[in-house]
């Protein structure tokens, strides 16, 4: 990474990107580490499910909201979508090959069945080579859809007034609440709410902060207190809902509430918290950091996308937590031991995956991305130039 590029981004946002990925890793750690955390009886199981849902969706929301914050005032660039698709394909294809190699060497090592049928092999190949639109990574699919909608949403911010923007956000937000009082259920592809709706709403929240956030300088202590209070309230609300859903109270049985959802049990909880977090950061006093700090933070933040693509890959992602569990094969006893070991494992996983992502990006992804986009741009420029030249000849011959 060139030094000027490494220092061009605001390290505050980049630090939050790192924390957002650590939140996503925390979610997946709780869900997939073979310690049976979410299967604990009573409120303890509900507590771990809340950690899963809350931290995972905070990370996802932050990436969506941050995109809206920066992109609503910028021109649409197809290269951004192309780079995301190319990077996702390269990671998915490489990990697909790795999964076949590992399965050949030691079947069942990744938690898969010992024997793959021809249909399973064909499905794995198809999903691995077409990852964006085959639910290989739901977040990436929603992110691409959000980027495709972004130029139209940007027009809304340009031509609609503040009241109209708020009305549209309230309308979209209401869709996330309808499953709780209907019989459509809190499923992945609900009638009212979907990951695409989720991403677009978050994008609009980020755009709203970019356009209408009024600067009200807050001291560091006040900003932290506001964020802590918002996080505590959000976590408590989500915990109470999940506990009621898991314990199957009458109201939860009536509406068939479920304690988990891939896009957040109550999506407005993480969206609201991330909005408060970002607004607090924008209003806090900016502290200048030295160049070395900025380079380290921005360089580490550049790996978070690759970290997600590795550990959430459906072909081999489960291997991350199988290997992570080797650090402590038996679940530690006691709250402090469990919390301490969990934090250590999550940080170790983050560092290892960051090194792998940085290496793969610089050796494979970035060169191929640049070459393909340069090729497409040259092809488009040459064809556009020929069309204009042909029209010019026709006009001169008239």
């Amino acid at each position: 990474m060139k030094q000027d590029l490494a220092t061009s981004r605001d390290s505050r946002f980049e630090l939050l990107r790192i924390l957002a990925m650590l939140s996503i890793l925390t979610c997946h750690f709780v869900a997939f580490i073979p310690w049976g955390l979410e299967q604990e009886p009573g409120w303890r199981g509900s507590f771990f499910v809340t950690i899963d849902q809350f931290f995972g969706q905070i990370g996802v929301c932050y990436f969506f909201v941050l995109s809206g914050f920066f992109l609503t005032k910028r021109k649409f660039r197809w290269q951004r979508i192309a780079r995301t698709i190319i990077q996702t394909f390269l990671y998915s294809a490489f990990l697909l090959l790795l999964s076949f190699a590992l399965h050949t060497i030691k079947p069942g090592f990744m938690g898969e069945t010992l024997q793959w049928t021809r249909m399973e092999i064909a499905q794995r190949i198809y999903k691995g080579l077409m990852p964006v639109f085959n639910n290989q990574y739901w977040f990436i699919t929603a992110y691409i859809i959000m980027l495709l909608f972004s130029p139209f949403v940007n027009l809304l911010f340009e031509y609609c007034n503040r009241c109209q923007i708020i009305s549209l956000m309230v309308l979209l937000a209401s869709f996330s609440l309808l499953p709780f009082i209907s019989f459509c259920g809190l499923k992945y592809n609900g009638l009212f709410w979907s990951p695409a709706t989720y991403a677009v709403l978050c994008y609009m929240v980020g755009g709203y902060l970019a356009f209408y956030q009024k600067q009200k300088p807050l001291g560091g202590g006040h900003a932290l207190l506001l964020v802590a209070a918002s996080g505590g309230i959000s976590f408590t609300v989500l915990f109470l809902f999940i506990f009621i859903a898991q314990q199957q109270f009458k109201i939860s049985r009536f509406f068939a509430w479920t304690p988990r959802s891939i896009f957040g049990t109550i999506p407005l909880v993480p969206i609201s918290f991330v909005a408060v977090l970002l607004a607090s950061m924008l209003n806090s006093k900016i502290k200048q950091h030295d160049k070395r700090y900025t380079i380290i933070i921005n360089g580490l933040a550049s790996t978070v996308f690759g970290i997600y693509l590795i550990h959430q890959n459906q072909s081999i992602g489960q291997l991350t937590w199988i290997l992570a569990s080797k650090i402590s094969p038996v679940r530690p006893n006691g709250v402090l031991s469990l919390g301490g070991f969990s934090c250590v494992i999550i940080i170790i996983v983050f560092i290892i995956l960051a090194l792998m992502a940085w290496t793969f990006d610089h050796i494979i992804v970035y060169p191929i991305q640049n070459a393909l986009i340069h090729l497409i741009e040259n092809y488009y420029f040459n064809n556009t130039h020929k069309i204009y030249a042909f029209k010019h000849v026709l006009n001169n011959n008239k």
Side-chain angles (χ1 to χ4, degrees):
M1 181 181 294
K2 295 181 180 179
Q3 196 174 65
D4 56 340
L5 293 177
T7 57
S8 62
R9 292 177 178 267
D10 190 329
S11 59
R12 296 177 302 160
F13 296 105
E14 299 304 287
L15 178 60
L16 284 181
R17 288 181 70 198
I18 295 171
L19 295 177
M21 183 49 61
L22 285 170
S23 295
I24 292 174
L25 284 173
T26 300
C27 157
H28 296 147
F29 169 86
V30 173
F32 300 120
I33 201 77
W35 289 351
L37 298 176
E38 296 185 352
Q39 287 70 48
E40 287 279 328
W43 67 269
R44 291 191 296 273
S46 300
F47 177 78
F48 286 116
V49 173
T50 305
I51 293 176
D52 172 353
Q53 294 286 278
F54 183 70
F55 284 95
Q57 295 313 308
I58 283 177
V60 167
C61 280
Y62 179 75
F63 289 115
F64 288 149
V65 171
L66 192 65
S67 297
F69 181 79
F70 283 113
L71 299 182
T72 45
K73 293 184 177 181
R74 296 182 183 178
K75 291 183 178 180
F76 175 79
R77 296 181 70 249
W78 63 267
Q79 291 91 337
R80 185 175 288 107
I81 295 177
R83 288 184 180 278
T84 303
I85 293 176
I86 292 168
Q87 185 176 16
T88 304
F89 168 79
L90 291 173
Y91 270 87
S92 183
F94 177 79
L95 294 173
L96 174 69
L97 291 174
L98 184 59
S99 71
F100 275 101
L102 290 175
H103 179 75
T104 302
I105 296 171
K106 191 173 182 180
F109 181 63
M110 299 174 291
E112 80 280 22
T113 57
L114 296 178
Q115 289 260 330
W116 289 349
T117 65
R118 291 182 179 179
M119 180 66 74
E120 287 176 324
I121 293 173
Q123 287 176 338
R124 284 174 177 270
I125 293 174
Y126 183 71
K127 290 175 69 175
L129 298 182
M130 297 286 288
V132 174
F133 302 107
N134 271 310
N135 193 28
Q136 177 80 304
Y137 304 98
W138 78 267
F139 166 75
I140 303 301
T141 302
Y143 183 76
I144 294 294
I145 293 173
M146 181 198 71
L147 292 180
L148 291 172
F149 272 92
S150 63
F152 307 104
V153 178
N154 293 354
L155 289 175
L156 295 176
F157 279 98
E158 185 174 352
Y159 293 106
C160 293
N161 58 44
R162 184 174 183 176
C163 182
Q164 291 169 325
I165 294 295
I166 292 175
S167 298
L168 180 56
M169 289 196 296
V170 170
L171 177 62
L172 290 174
S174 67
F175 291 161
S176 72
L177 300 176
L178 289 175
F180 297 100
I181 56 174
S182 74
F183 292 99
C184 293
L186 301 172
K187 295 182 179 179
Y188 177 72
N189 290 316
L191 177 63
F192 303 111
W193 186 254
S194 71
T197 317
Y198 185 19
V200 172
L201 175 57
C202 289
Y203 185 92
M204 292 193 68
V205 170
Y208 183 87
L209 291 174
F211 273 83
Y212 301 110
Q213 173 67 21
K214 294 181 180 179
Q215 296 298 319
K216 298 178 181 178
L218 295 172
H222 290 89
L224 287 174
L225 183 62
L226 179 61
V227 171
S230 176
I233 294 171
S234 300
F235 188 90
T236 302
V237 169
L238 191 58
F239 168 75
L240 290 175
F241 173 82
I242 288 174
F243 179 73
I244 291 171
Q246 281 198 319
Q247 297 302 312
Q248 287 293 286
F249 289 6
K250 286 184 179 180
I251 189 172
S252 62
R253 293 201 306 272
F254 183 81
F255 287 115
W257 288 349
T258 57
R260 299 179 58 114
S261 171
I262 196 168
F263 49 75
T265 306
I266 306 178
L268 286 185
V269 169
I271 293 175
S272 301
F273 174 74
V274 169
V276 171
L277 174 64
L278 190 57
S280 300
M281 188 189 72
L282 294 173
N283 287 329
S284 62
K285 295 178 181 179
I286 299 175
K287 182 181 178 181
Q288 296 294 332
H289 298 286
D290 60 47
K291 203 169 187 179
R292 184 180 300 176
Y293 170 86
T294 302
I295 291 173
I296 293 173
I297 292 297
N298 293 6
L300 193 58
S302 69
T303 66
V304 297
F305 196 66
I307 292 173
Y308 177 84
L309 291 174
I310 294 172
H311 87 278
Q312 270 298 92
N313 182 268
Q314 291 187 12
S315 298
I316 204 171
Q318 184 63 24
L319 185 61
T320 301
W321 305 112
I322 293 175
L323 294 176
S325 66
K326 305 295 183 183
I327 299 174
S328 179
V330 180
R331 174 185 163 174
N333 294 321
V335 176
L336 293 179
S337 298
L338 178 60
F341 269 101
S342 299
C343 290
V344 169
I345 292 173
I346 291 168
I347 292 172
I348 290 174
V349 169
F350 178 87
I351 293 172
I352 293 174
L353 293 183
L355 290 172
M356 293 170 62
W358 190 93
T359 304
F360 191 75
D361 284 340
H362 284 77
I363 295 177
I364 304 293
V365 175
Y366 295 157
I368 294 178
Q369 276 181 336
N370 295 333
L372 287 177
I373 289 177
H374 181 70
L375 186 65
I376 294 171
E377 288 175 336
N378 285 343
Y379 177 80
Y380 174 79
F381 175 80
N382 290 334
N383 281 317
T384 303
H385 180 72
K386 289 177 182 178
I387 292 171
Y388 280 119
F390 180 68
K391 286 183 178 180
H392 180 71
V393 171
L394 287 178
N395 291 332
N396 289 338
N397 292 333
K398 287 183 180 179

